[in-house]
């Protein structure tokens, strides 16, 4: 059993997660998420070779907030 005060972090690639997967990870004890967004400029994201776009990053943030991951 893991102590309640333990922080369990999940690193997420924006655009590769759904509300269902966030909820599943939350139910497994994940209580913190980390995801990097270099920019919200789609052309820059493409230039950087990122697999997500700005809307994917916004959706990822919304999913995490809705599931109360910090």
């Amino acid at each position: 059993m893991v102590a309640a005060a333990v922080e369990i972090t999940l690193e997420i690639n924006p655009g590769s997660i759904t509300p269902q997967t966030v909820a599943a990870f939350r139910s497994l004890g994940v209580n913190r998420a980390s995801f990097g967004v270099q920019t919200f400029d789609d052309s820059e994201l493409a230039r950087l070779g990122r697999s997500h776009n700005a809307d994917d990053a916004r959706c990822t943030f919304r999913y995490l907030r809705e599931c109360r991951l910090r």
Side-chain angles (χ1 to χ4, degrees):
M1 175 172 264
V2 178
V6 170
E7 184 174 270
I8 301 172
T9 303
L10 175 67
E11 183 150 345
I12 299 169
N13 184 26
S16 66
I17 198 153
T18 66
Q20 295 79 15
T21 54
V22 173
F25 284 121
R26 183 72 171 122
S27 72
L28 293 171
V30 174
N31 55 12
R32 183 175 183 273
S34 173
F35 71 103
V37 178
Q38 289 75 21
T39 181
F40 286 94
D41 181 321
D42 285 336
S43 62
E44 283 296 307
L45 288 167
R47 187 182 70 76
L48 293 169
R50 301 298 294 170
S51 62
H52 66 277
N53 60 35
D55 192 49
D56 292 334
R58 288 183 190 96
C59 286
T60 297
F61 181 75
R62 187 176 69 244
Y63 300 158
L64 296 172
R65 293 290 291 179
E66 288 170 356
C67 207
R68 295 195 176 130
L69 285 176
R70 47 187 165 95

